[in-house]
Amino acid sequence: MTQFQTDQAQLYRATLMHTPANPFRQADALHLQEDGGLLVGGGIIRASGAYADLRKEYPTAPVSDLRGGLLLPGFIDTHVHFPQVRVIGGLGMPLLDWLGQVALPEEARLADPDYARAVAREFTRGLVQAGTTTALVFGSHFAAAVDVFFEEAAQLGLRSVAGLVVSDRLLRPELHTTPQRAYDEAKTLIEKWHGAGRNLYAVTPRFSLSASEGILEACGTLLREFPDVRFTSHINENRAEIGTVKELFPASRDYLDTYEQAGLVTPRSVLAHNVHPTGRELGVMAAHHCTAAHCPCSNSALGSGFFPLRRHLDAGVHVSLGSDVGGGTGFSLLKEGLQAYFMQQLLGEDGVPLTPAHLLYLSTRAGAEALGLGDLIGDFSVGRQFDAVLLSPQAGTPLRAVYDHAAGPERKLAATFATGTPSDVARVWIGGDLVHTRTSLRD
């Protein structure tokens, strides 16, 4: 760093933890500093290590003392629906019933741009308040609503990867489009928003159940014309859904093949759920370095089934974490991590025992890798953007009791996933910008 940059840098002192490596492959992937330091300048981590060492090296840098809490990389949600924030908690129905009775009527309301803007504000602020700094977002079926979403995300500073949701059958008629219109509207949004600030674009057919071959081909054309955009959709969430897709695509080998034939399975692809995959599908996903976004609270709430994490890992499929609001039950990836832990425990020998290191990785670094942002975010390595969340439980709470009496940082991390909520999120930074404190949120 130059002297000028050093003078402008901030030294953060904290108990900090991150997973720059994959704990499913490397036993010592969890890195921690009980009295650590991060020197941040221009929104980028310039140096890291023991606080005492950094203080000697940068004696004039102003210090932000965050001791008493736990500093983690910002959470990365790889599957969440912007239009569904107001319908969280529609319990007691399987997927297709829930879509028809709860989600789709609400999504139709986003035809009104003013309504969409109010929802976008609630959605983006809900994410940040939960400690989420980056999200792969299922947008709206209405281009104007997607435009509004990107505006709100940019104003708040959220890292968003989102796109126009496209379908042409089996939904409400007002949510249908045509292949040509899907292409034209998405192209306009890509040219306006992809790479604008912290926004990126994701080509987003809702799922093959509601997207014909023509829609999927239009999506494939967009991926070829704009090779840096991402792709996301749903796959193998519910057995009734899978059966319907098989009827609609009788020539396809399986659900994944409906995307595969359109050129939509790439390293830039994130497919949500994948609760009931075939062996062939897992092999193809691994070969193409495609990610499965695991959404444990939604899988439980909608009765979709147990996610076969071991089969994914054994096949070499990358896995990240998603909240799936509003099929999921809230924005907190702490809760998603806990539910993932529960479900793997209940699977017994078929499950994967998850440690706090696994949960932290799934909530942070795994998402960065899924989105092709591993060189930018996901951990506290030097050169990464300073995307961070400070967990600091309030006095008198059980989690504060654990923090005050824990034998070490790993015990605090376990308790954070076990009992932590958005109320324990004290501060959130994105690219070095403080975007949330517990008492206020950037307007």
Side-chain angles (χ1 to χ4, degrees):
M1 297 177 68
T2 66
Q3 185 61 43
F4 172 77
Q5 290 173 319
T6 302
D7 291 344
Q8 298 299 313
Q10 182 85 17
L11 179 56
Y12 292 91
R13 182 180 191 180
T15 297
L16 58 92
M17 308 178 77
H18 64 134
T19 51
N22 183 342
F24 292 109
R25 299 174 183 167
Q26 185 172 319
D28 59 350
L30 180 65
H31 292 198
L32 65 89
Q33 290 274 353
E34 192 150 12
D35 188 9
L38 294 175
L39 186 75
V40 177
I44 296 172
I45 299 170
R46 306 291 181 173
S48 68
Y51 170 74
D53 294 340
L54 290 184
R55 191 63 181 148
K56 289 179 183 177
E57 189 171 357
Y58 303 100
T60 63
V63 176
S64 180
D65 194 335
L66 307 177
R67 286 177 295 174
L70 193 61
L71 189 67
L72 305 176
F75 300 136
I76 301 174
D77 190 334
T78 56
H79 185 65
V80 60
H81 292 254
F82 141 54
Q84 296 177 9
V85 62
R86 295 184 177 182
V87 295
I88 296 172
L91 304 179
M93 290 171 276
L95 171 65
L96 300 183
D97 291 342
W98 177 82
L99 283 172
Q101 298 177 38
V102 179
L104 298 182
E106 173 66 11
E107 296 204 26
R109 296 186 180 99
L110 272 74
D112 178 351
D114 291 334
Y115 188 90
R117 187 173 298 279
V119 171
R121 287 177 177 168
E122 294 164 355
F123 175 85
T124 54
R125 282 150 179 77
L127 285 172
V128 169
Q129 288 167 352
T132 295
T133 54
T134 300
L136 176 57
V137 179
F138 247 68
S140 169
H141 286 270
F142 304 102
V146 177
D147 203 56
V148 161
F149 166 78
F150 277 126
E151 289 176 1
E152 292 297 322
Q155 181 178 350
L156 185 57
L158 179 72
R159 292 191 197 280
S160 63
V161 187
L164 178 71
V165 181
V166 293
S167 293
D168 61 352
R169 63 186 177 194
L170 298 181
L171 302 182
R172 299 166 64 96
E174 62 268 45
L175 301 180
H176 291 168
T177 188
T178 66
Q180 187 62 52
R181 181 179 165 196
Y183 169 85
D184 291 341
E185 291 183 337
K187 182 178 180 181
T188 298
L189 288 165
I190 291 168
E191 291 173 342
K192 180 176 182 180
W193 289 111
H194 184 65
R198 294 173 183 155
N199 287 316
L200 296 170
Y201 195 86
V203 173
T204 313
R206 189 172 198 114
F207 52 177
S208 294
L209 186 144
S210 68
S212 69
E213 289 90 340
I215 288 286
L216 297 179
E217 288 169 3
C219 292
T221 299
L222 288 165
L223 285 189
R224 289 189 294 275
E225 291 184 7
F226 299 95
D228 191 41
V229 301
R230 278 57 171 179
F231 172 81
T232 191
S233 193
H234 300 90
I235 191 170
N236 292 325
E237 181 177 1
N238 172 281
R239 292 194 184 278
E241 166 212 12
I242 296 168
T244 302
V245 169
K246 181 61 178 175
E247 293 173 359
L248 293 169
F249 293 86
S252 294
R253 290 168 288 185
D254 44 45
Y255 204 139
L256 184 68
D257 199 31
T258 66
Y259 300 130
E260 201 177 341
Q261 292 182 21
L264 301 174
V265 182
T266 79
R268 294 169 284 135
S269 302
V270 178
L271 296 173
H273 302 295
N274 211 32
V275 179
H276 308 286
T278 66
R280 193 202 78 85
E281 289 172 309
L282 291 174
V284 172
M285 290 178 70
H288 289 274
H289 305 288
C290 172
T291 295
H294 176 29
C295 305
C297 286
S298 172
N299 292 346
S300 298
L302 297 176
S304 299
F306 286 88
F307 180 70
L309 177 59
R310 184 175 298 282
R311 290 182 61 209
H312 282 74
L313 296 177
D314 288 348
V317 178
H318 184 63
V319 177
S320 57
L321 208 58
S323 68
D324 197 27
V325 161
T329 57
F331 290 115
S332 177
L333 289 192
L334 296 174
K335 180 164 62 172
E336 295 298 334
L338 179 64
Q339 187 67 16
Y341 171 86
F342 285 157
M343 296 182 81
Q344 292 303 308
Q345 289 288 97
L346 289 171
L347 280 169
E349 292 183 357
D350 291 332
V352 178
L354 296 175
T355 67
H358 292 117
L359 302 183
L360 181 59
Y361 170 75
L362 288 170
S363 304
T364 58
R365 180 74 194 160
E369 293 168 349
L371 298 174
L373 299 175
D375 292 338
L376 186 72
I377 57 174
D379 60 65
F380 289 145
S381 298
V382 172
R384 303 279 193 260
Q385 293 275 320
F386 184 59
D387 287 12
V389 53
L390 176 67
L391 280 301
S392 185
Q394 299 186 67
T397 63
L399 188 55
R400 171 49 66 187
V402 174
Y403 272 43
D404 290 344
H405 300 284
E410 287 187 79
R411 179 68 186 87
K412 292 181 183 179
L413 183 62
T416 299
F417 276 100
T419 67
T421 72
S423 67
D424 300 305
V425 174
R427 300 183 196 176
V428 179
W429 297 262
I430 303 178
D433 296 331
L434 181 63
V435 299
H436 170 66
T437 66
R438 189 152 42 208
T439 56
S440 65
L441 188 69
R442 178 191 290 178
D443 293 330

